[in-house]
């Protein structure tokens, strides 16, 4: 017989102190969801099992003690830092879970500009770290849209990627070393070395685990020299996505690495660029770095694009203004809540990836099916924002009016059916259903198809590290019942 | 019942960079890089009109909704949206002059449109624009038309084809009045400030209708107006003290000891 809520709370208070254990009902409700269920949450509907408590942890030892207690008593643990997750990864799938909040672990431990790395606790906000680095002429290079809100623990746990990834890479390219607590309470540290071939790269067990294997307590990331004064902005309008994909491919395959390489279709482009690209696709590049590299990258891109007659150049000033306003902040979120509640119109996204040879096919079939099969759409579009030698991603963006349904029905009427179409068509074509938001709890249905025969490796990791099934159950791997 | 909603589109000034705030010799700031969107009070006015239309149809009153702006082509994306939302008529008066601060000229054009081109029964507009910020236009139009004007309107409901219930904010609460048309209603801080979003199907079906484009030169000019003589950027920077500390607790301690303790003691 497991512990009841009161017993769980009592024990947590003994471990962490009364001031660190929150049982306020509204806090617990809001802690049972993340942005995936924001439509119903904004309407005051909370359907997920209520956690027993939120416990604020202030040290790795705190984390270890809490998780060890949870493991002993078979209590589900939800690791959390910035609470900006979008795919249900922070939803409470089981009754009486413990939300372990590491946002108070916010020390910047060391900035080492000789070895070009910064070590921080899991609760350091990325914007805080990057602002501090930029004052000194450096940057993390990591810039997801959630930058002012997201924290390093969660960013590593979700295998996040930023808007400048074409130059700096995704988080997996940036992590040097990491410390994490595993379900048995053991504290594991992977040291900071430039590279090693001492067996498999075990950092990748932790990076992207979405709290299903461990709790990340400390991260060391690379830092880069920052030369914003050399930024060169390039923008073009064009008629179709297929041409845009070809151009992106050519830029990347020939070895150029602009920090930003983006292709917007007409609809998604209209949201940001209707003042200069009405009815057109938009291609954007930003070249940065030391001046010779930035200049050469920009010149090469301009040369490549010039070979495509349909591309028309736009004033770089337009791109520069867009570039300076990329990210969310708490004010945006507050306004978003008001707008959603008033208009009953909401935006959601699904991001996938695929090789160059299949990406346009994925785009076209998904757009056609979603447009034909889903009602009440007000915008349906996509953009490519992260390109690689062998392919690119697609970020499908869809707005819809929530019509004739209760708030809690929004997900099943609109969001999940749209996601199903995009996921299934992507997997069928040979792409990945999940580029950078994480699996969360709402793409677990397809996880075996995503992995195929390699699902064996994922399952074994879960069994090995979380034998008592306490770590963020229902995330990545579906609950069995 | 003919309802005219007058709206303006304004540049998204929050997208400006510091270096953009430069006043040229024509007393203009270059907003060419910026997207334009609906002035927030006008957005409320448009949504109020649409809500009124929904309610009116249930009472078998069929209002005729016209949306009108005095603007250049930057307003075209908004016009498409309004067509998609099934405004009966969408009009743009193509403007060549600087009327940012010239409420009299704007009011005159609106007066001429209503009196000479397309008679209306109700004029709705936001109480002021985010650029001019003078709150005069609704009052001036009402005066020119000889119609009553109610300000700080937050809601309107249909009664019959000649009467409306108008709710407005007053100093000590809300006032609800049943009034006879015609009238000018100046929309204030309405509870619903966002306009609904048309579906893709509506945009395909209705959004491609052509907006009616008139030219400001086809209207009698209004020569007595405000002449803009200077335009200065207001420096809104405020001084700040950065409190350093390794932890929030340390910073809070410094804030209290260095800045708050004495003030609190004085209280």
């Amino acid at each position: 017989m497991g512990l009841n809520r009161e017993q769980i709370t009592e024990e947590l208070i003994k471990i962490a102190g009364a001031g660190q254990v929150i049982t306020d009902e509204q806090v617990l409700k809001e802690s049972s969801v993340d942005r995936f269920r924001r439509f119903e949450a904004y309407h005051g509907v909370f359907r997920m099992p209520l956690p027993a408590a939120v416990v604020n942890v202030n040290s790795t030892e705190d984390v270890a003690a809490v998780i060890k207690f949870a493991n002993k008593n078979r209590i589900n643990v939800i690791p959390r830092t910035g609470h900006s997750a979008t795919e249900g990864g922070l939803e409470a799938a089981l009754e009486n879970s413990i939300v372990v909040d590491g946002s108070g672990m916010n020390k910047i431990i060391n900035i080492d500009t000789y070895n070009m790395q910064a070590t921080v606790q899991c609760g350091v906000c990325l914007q805080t770290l990057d602002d501090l680095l930029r004052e000194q002429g450096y940057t993390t290079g990591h810039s997801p849209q959630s930058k002012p809100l997201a924290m390093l623990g969660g960013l590593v746990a979700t295998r996040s990627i930023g808007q400048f990834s074409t130059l700096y890479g995704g988080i997996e390219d940036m992590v040097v070393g990491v410390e994490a607590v595993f379900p048995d309470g053991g504290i594991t540290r992977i040291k900071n070395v430039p590279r090693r071939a001492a067996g498999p790269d075990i950092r990748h067990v932790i990076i992207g685990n979405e709290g299903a294997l461990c709790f990340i307590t400390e991260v060391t990331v690379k830092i880069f020299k920052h030369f914003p004064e050399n930024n060169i902005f390039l923008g073009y309008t064009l008629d179709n996505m297929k041409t845009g994909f070809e151009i992106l491919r050519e830029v990347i395959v020939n070895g150029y690495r602009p920090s930003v390489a983006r292709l917007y279709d007409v609809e998604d482009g209209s949201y940001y660029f209707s003042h200069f690209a009405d009815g057109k696709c938009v291609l954007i590049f930003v070249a940065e770095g030391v001046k010779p590299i930035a200049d050469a990258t920009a010149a090469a891109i301009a040369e490549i694009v010039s070979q495509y007659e349909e591309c028309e150049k736009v004033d770089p000033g337009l791109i520069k203004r867009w570039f300076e306003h990329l990210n969310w902040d708490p004010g945006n979120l507050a306004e978003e809540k008001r707008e959603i509640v008033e208009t009953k119109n909401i935006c959601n996204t699904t991001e996938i990836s695929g090789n160059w040879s299949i990406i346009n096919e994925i785009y076209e079939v998904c757009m056609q099916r979603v447009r034909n099969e889903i009602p009440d759409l007000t915008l349906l579009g996509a953009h490519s924002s992260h390109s690689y030698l062998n392919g690119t991603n697609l970020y499908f963006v869809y707005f819809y009016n929530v019509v004739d349904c209760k708030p809690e029905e929004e997900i099943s009427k609109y969001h999940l059916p749209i996601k199903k179409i995009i996921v299934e068509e992507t997997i069928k074509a040979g792409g990945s259903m999940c580029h950078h938001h994480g699996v969360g709890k709402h793409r677990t249905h397809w996880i075996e198809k995503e992995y195929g025969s390699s699902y064996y490796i994922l399952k074994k990791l879960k069994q090995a590290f979380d034998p008592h099934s306490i770590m963020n159950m229902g995330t990545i791997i579906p609950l069995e019942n | 019942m003919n309802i005219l909603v007058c709206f303006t589109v304004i540049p998204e000034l929050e997208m400006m960079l510091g270096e953009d705030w430069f006043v040229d010799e024509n007393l203009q700031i270059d907003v060419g890089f910026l997207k334009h969107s609906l002035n927030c009070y006008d957005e409320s006015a448009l949504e109020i009109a649409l809500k009124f239309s929904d309610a009116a149809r249930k009472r078998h009153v069929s209002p005729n909704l016209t949306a009108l702006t005095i603007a250049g082509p930057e307003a075209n994306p908004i016009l498409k949206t309004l067509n998609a939302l099934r405004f009966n008529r969408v009009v743009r008066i193509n403007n060549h002059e600087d009327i940012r601060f010239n409420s009299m000229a704007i009011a005159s054009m609106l007066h001429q449109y209503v009196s000479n081109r397309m008679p209306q029964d109700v004029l709705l507009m936001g109480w002021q624009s985010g650029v001019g910020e003078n709150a005069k236009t609704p009052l001036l139009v009402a005066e020119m038309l000889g119609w009553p004007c109610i300000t700080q309107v937050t809601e309107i409901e249909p009664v019959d084809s000649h009467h409306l219930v108008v709710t407005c904010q007053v100093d000590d609460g809300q006032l609800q009045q049943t009034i006879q048309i015609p009238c000018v209603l100046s929309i204030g801080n309405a509870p619903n400030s966002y306009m609904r979003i048309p579906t893709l199907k509506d945009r395909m079906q209705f959004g491609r209708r052509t907006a009616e484009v008139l030219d400001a030169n086809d209207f009698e000019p209004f020569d007595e107006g405000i002449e803009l003589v200077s335009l200065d950027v207001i420096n809104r920077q405020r001084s700040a003290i950065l409190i350093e500390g390794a932890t929030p607790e340390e910073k809070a301690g410094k804030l209290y000891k260095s800045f708050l303790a004495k003030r609190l003691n004085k209280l």
Side-chain angles (χ1 to χ4, degrees), chain A residues 106-107 267 270-275 278 315 317-318 320-322 324-325 335 338-339 342-343 345 371 374-380 401, chain B residues 14-17 19-20 32-36 43 51 76-77 80 190-201 203 246-249:
Chain A
N106 56 11
K107 291 194 187 97
E267 276 281 308
S270 71
Y271 189 75
Y272 300 98
F273 310 119
S274 59
H275 52 306
D278 195 26
D315 189 323
L318 292 161
K320 186 177 180 185
R321 272 109 192 126
W322 163 83
E324 296 293 341
H325 296 91
E335 193 180 329
R338 239 184 92 210
E339 190 166 358
E342 264 190 48
T343 62
N345 182 270
R371 196 175 281 128
I374 306 295
D376 307 317
L377 290 169
T378 58
L379 187 152
L380 172 64
N401 289 332
Chain B
E14 66 276 9
M15 299 291 281
M16 300 262 282
L17 304 176
E19 68 210 50
D20 294 336
F33 293 124
L34 304 179
K35 208 173 155 195
H36 283 65
E43 185 170 357
K51 278 198 161 70
N76 286 345
K80 281 187 194 169
N192 285 115
S193 47
Y194 295 103
M195 193 170 68
R196 62 193 65 176
I197 322 285
T199 62
L200 289 181
K201 287 197 171 115
R203 284 210 267 137
T247 64
E249 289 76 15

Side-chain angles (χ1 to χ4, degrees), chain A residues 214-274:
Chain A
C214 61
F215 187 112
I216 297 166
T217 48
E218 188 183 296
V219 177
T220 299
V221 289
K222 294 175 190 171
I223 62 175
F224 301 85
K225 284 200 145 185
H226 192 225
F227 305 98
E229 69 276 11
N230 298 333
N231 285 355
I232 300 175
F233 303 95
L234 300 153
Y236 304 88
T237 60
L238 63 163
D239 291 325
N240 69 79
M241 291 290 277
K242 194 162 193 285
T243 305
F245 287 130
E246 286 302 321
I247 295 171
L248 285 177
R249 180 185 173 278
E250 210 174 318
V251 167
I252 301 298
V253 159
N254 281 296
Y256 300 107
R257 293 293 179 266
S259 59
V260 175
R262 289 187 159 225
L263 169 67
Y264 286 83
D265 74 354
V266 173
E267 276 281 308
D268 197 9
S270 71
Y271 189 75
Y272 300 98
F273 310 119
S274 59

Side-chain angles (χ1 to χ4, degrees), chain A residues 113 116 136-139 168 223-228 288-290:
Chain A
T113 56
M116 298 299 281
Q136 302 171 48
Y138 300 92
T139 179
Y168 296 105
I223 62 175
F224 301 85
K225 284 200 145 185
H226 192 225
F227 305 98
E288 65 173 85
V290 289

Side-chain angles (χ1 to χ4, degrees), chain A residues 156-170:
Chain A
V156 174
T158 51
R159 216 171 155 82
S160 59
I161 202 163
Q163 294 159 112
F164 312 144
S165 68
T166 320
L167 174 60
Y168 296 105

